[in-house]
Amino acid sequence: MSAQKELLTVRNIGIMAHIDAGKTTTTERILYYTGRSYKMGEVHDGNAVMDWMEQEQERGITITAAATTCLWKEHKINIIDTPGHVDFTVEVERSLRVLDGVIAVFCAVGGVEPQSETVWRQADKYAIPRLAFVNKMDRVGANFDRCLQMMTKRLGAIPLPLQMPVGKESDFTGVIDLIEEKMLTFSEQTLGQEVVETAIPDHYREAFTAARMTLLEKLADFDEGVMEKYLDDKPVSVDEIYRAVRKATLALHVVPVLCGSAFKNKGIQPLLDAVVRYLPSPVDIPTVDGIDRNGDPVQRDTGVQEKFCGLVFKLVSDLFVENLAFIRVYAGSLKVGEKVFNPVQKKQEKISKLLKLHANKREEVKEIKAGDIGAIVGLRFTTTGDTLCGTGDFVILERMEFPEPVIGVAIEPRSKAEEIKLKETLDKIALEDPSFTVGTNAETGQTIISGMGELHLEIIVDRLLNEFKVAAKVGTPQVAYKETIESAAEAEGRFEQMTGTAQYGHVILRIEPQERGSGFAFSSEVDEKTIPKMYLTAIERGVKDTLDSGPLVGYPLTDVKVRLIGGSYDEDGSTEMAFGVAASMALRKAAGQAHPHLLEPVMDLEVVTPEDYVGEVIADVNTKRGKITGIEAETDRQIVRAHVPLAEMFGYSTSLRSATQGRAHFSMQFLKYDLVPGNKAEAIIKKIRGI
């Protein structure tokens, strides 16, 4: 088989969903039916293949994206099972960056839940074709039609049901294939391995005919051939429908929807058929975008014959090898023994060992070709998001953006002997997880580790103590505040040193508030005669370094624009260092005069509660400075949405349980930074200053 034909049979897919929708169970069934696993793992038993970390098995959730490869009908499917908890969104982000297609799993009872929306938007960002699998059709309250409506309403998608369920809840027995016009049931004696095809029962005929007409009607909007036959009342062949669905899916016009129950072994084989039939192969991604050494846009053709380039999308610290770098090869091939170039770090790397991965099991290989996902052992300079290309070549593929941490805890070693080990281990974890940072509190000298939520930090501390065996003490969680300004101010900074080597730098800066969430901007309004261009980079660097510590209590200063409006230089004495120091002095003065204010992270909260407890939930949110943004009724439950400061949300699961007798549940994710009200800000500042 030629290399290009071989690529046509490859599928790089991710499985994504809200926590508890059944992603990992679905993946376990896929591995079983494709012969990759000989026994079905179960999340609730703690033996799921893809949840191999001890912390995942204890909690019954996916924390790290696990990669595997399986074969189905002469196609090779590379699968990444991604986490569903909002604290691990970065895992989903970096997996989606390198995938060609996605299976979005929805719970038939919960429908489109908050994290489903988040991962859907991430897939929109990378323009990834999707299939939807409505799982848990056997559960009480399962409602296939409601799921379709929620996909339209909440995700703005056009769902295209290719199946209709036969029965629901405990009576769910199988599915009716709307394209091939047959009923599929899954033999319980063979754990669903045997798929039994039968004619559609008479009492389903009417519903089937209506559903099939709807399918053709939707397809007619995106395919002229189907439209002509549909309008002329001519039959549309099965192959024509398959082609039309694939075309519309790849163009992101529709999302084919299938249904089943992964736990009860129903509906997985048709889902695999749909992956092969409708999701793209690497050949369907003809080019990949990047920039060249001048920063100009460049497109690279994908394919085995092209020059090598690949994207490192994840690093994993390993106790047995130095580290693993997960790579998606877009063009050419990567071979053991070769030297490659990292244009981001401007360093050369040697490829000493390549692996294919099945969760945490490894298989050594000599080569990874275009379209494939694998891992490189022991890269010295490469970090997450870096590009690798052939020596002498230069292309940087589109980089990934990661959210900033919103919560931190103080951590210190239990003994002086553990100090170096703790630092090295934290650096290792920070290297593999871009949403985790390590810093030092300038006031107390404490080491602060920051992440995306309480669970995120809990898992990291758990790994420190149990996996890396570091003895450490951990403080209580702290909110990652920021600072901003409310008015404009100008200040002068002059740095003059007459003794020893002469140094001279003089700047006048104006600082102005910007829109919330806009970050930092710098501009120069001085001419070459006032301050030569050669010093502007040093001035901007001095400003940026000073932004790390705001005038109030030393939190990062954000949402500001700094303008260089004046200054002077000395032909003999001016240096870059002097201008950097002068810029820092001027910015500190100006920021202090610009009415600095504290910003806090605000979370988007969603509480699902029985109707009887809506009043209690709203009252509780109000006591936490929350703003209710909407209440929605769904069958026998209510969904309360609110924006609440993170500072008020520690221990919320306990207060929600007591307010609703344990019958409500919630999810929350970071929304934005906003001003802390006056009295509250004063109290926080006094507490931090120790007044």
Side-chain angles (χ1 to χ4, degrees), residues 10-22:
V10 173
R11 299 289 180 274
N12 290 311
I13 65 162
I15 299 188
M16 65 180 200
H18 186 84
I19 193 166
D20 274 347

Side-chain angles (χ1 to χ4, degrees), residues 21-43:
K23 292 179 312 304
T24 301
T25 307
T26 304
T27 313
E28 293 297 320
R29 298 309 185 262
I30 287 173
L31 297 181
Y32 182 71
Y33 295 132
T34 56
R36 182 79 214 203
S37 296
Y38 299 102
K39 176 179 176 290
M40 288 186 191
E42 300 294 359
V43 174

Side-chain angles (χ1 to χ4, degrees), residues 27 99 396 435:
T27 313
L99 292 170
I396 298 176
S435 63

Side-chain angles (χ1 to χ4, degrees), residues 568-639:
S568 61
Y569 81 105
D570 180 289
E571 271 186 26
D572 300 320
S574 281
T575 62
E576 288 190 5
M577 191 204 90
F579 271 108
V581 173
S584 180
M585 291 160 65
L587 188 73
R588 277 186 209 288
K589 276 189 223 163
Q593 295 162 15
H595 299 102
H597 211 297
L598 212 54
L599 292 171
E600 63 182 347
V602 175
M603 310 304 280
D604 195 357
L605 173 72
E606 183 172 287
V607 183
V608 179
T609 175
E611 203 163 337
D612 303 351
Y613 299 105
V614 172
E616 285 85 343
V617 168
I618 291 171
D620 193 28
V621 167
N622 287 335
T623 64
K624 298 183 185 312
R625 298 194 283 127
K627 290 179 189 160
I628 304 293
T629 58
I631 302 170
E632 199 178 308
E634 276 187 8
T635 55
D636 57 341
R637 49 189 205 157
Q638 298 271 340
I639 295 172

Side-chain angles (χ1 to χ4, degrees), residues 94 103 116 127 143 152 202 239 263 285 292 316 338 345 352 357 389-390 393-394 417 427 429 432 447 464 609 622:
R94 57 187 175 185
I103 300 173
S116 317
N143 190 328
T152 306
D202 290 342
D239 283 344
F263 184 58
I285 318 296
D292 62 16
V316 175
E338 282 185 335
Q345 310 296 343
S352 55
L357 298 156
C389 54
D393 195 10
F394 196 105
D427 288 346
I429 296 173
E432 67 177 67
T447 299
L464 270 175
T609 175
N622 287 335

Side-chain angles (χ1 to χ4, degrees), residues 13-17 20-34 37 40-43 48 50-51 62 68 70 79 81 103-107 132-136 259-269 271-272 275:
I13 65 162
I15 299 188
M16 65 180 200
D20 274 347
K23 292 179 312 304
T24 301
T25 307
T26 304
T27 313
E28 293 297 320
R29 298 309 185 262
I30 287 173
L31 297 181
Y32 182 71
Y33 295 132
T34 56
S37 296
M40 288 186 191
E42 300 294 359
V43 174
M50 302 301 272
D51 284 352
T62 302
T68 189
C70 57
I79 301 175
D81 175 25
I103 300 173
V105 180
F106 297 100
C107 170
F133 180 63
V134 178
N135 190 26
K136 302 194 179 185
C259 63
S261 165
F263 184 58
K264 292 289 174 67
N265 312 316
K266 290 172 182 166
I268 300 300
Q269 292 93 328
L271 178 63
L272 280 164
V275 165

Side-chain angles (χ1 to χ4, degrees), residues 35-170:
R36 182 79 214 203
S37 296
Y38 299 102
K39 176 179 176 290
M40 288 186 191
E42 300 294 359
V43 174
H44 58 266
D45 292 337
N47 62 5
V49 175
M50 302 301 272
D51 284 352
W52 55 271
M53 282 173 75
E54 196 180 300
Q55 293 84 355
E56 295 177 311
Q57 291 167 356
E58 277 174 19
R59 292 168 176 81
I61 62 168
T62 302
I63 291 165
T64 180
T68 189
T69 302
C70 57
L71 297 170
W72 182 253
K73 295 188 177 173
E74 297 177 356
H75 284 70
K76 182 166 78 170
I77 304 174
N78 294 320
I79 301 175
I80 294 183
D81 175 25
T82 65
H85 195 287
V86 66
D87 282 12
F88 307 105
T89 300
V90 68
E91 281 288 325
V92 186
E93 178 85 21
R94 57 187 175 185
S95 300
L96 287 175
R97 171 65 185 83
V98 296
L99 292 170
D100 301 329
V102 158
I103 300 173
V105 180
F106 297 100
C107 170
V109 182
V112 177
E113 295 169 280
Q115 183 63 359
S116 317
E117 292 185 49
T118 305
V119 293
W120 196 270
R121 305 276 172 258
Q122 286 171 309
D124 280 343
K125 182 166 107 182
Y126 293 118
I128 298 175
R130 275 142 273 187
L131 292 178
F133 180 63
V134 178
N135 190 26
K136 302 194 179 185
M137 284 301 301
D138 59 309
R139 285 264 307 274
V140 175
N143 190 328
F144 183 65
D145 292 334
R146 182 171 147 267
C147 267
L148 297 176
Q149 288 160 11
M150 289 177 85
M151 284 176 71
T152 306
K153 186 177 163 193
R154 289 200 180 178
L155 306 176
I158 299 178
L160 187 73
L162 305 182
Q163 297 173 341
M164 56 184 279
V166 178
K168 64 175 182 179
E169 301 180 351
S170 58

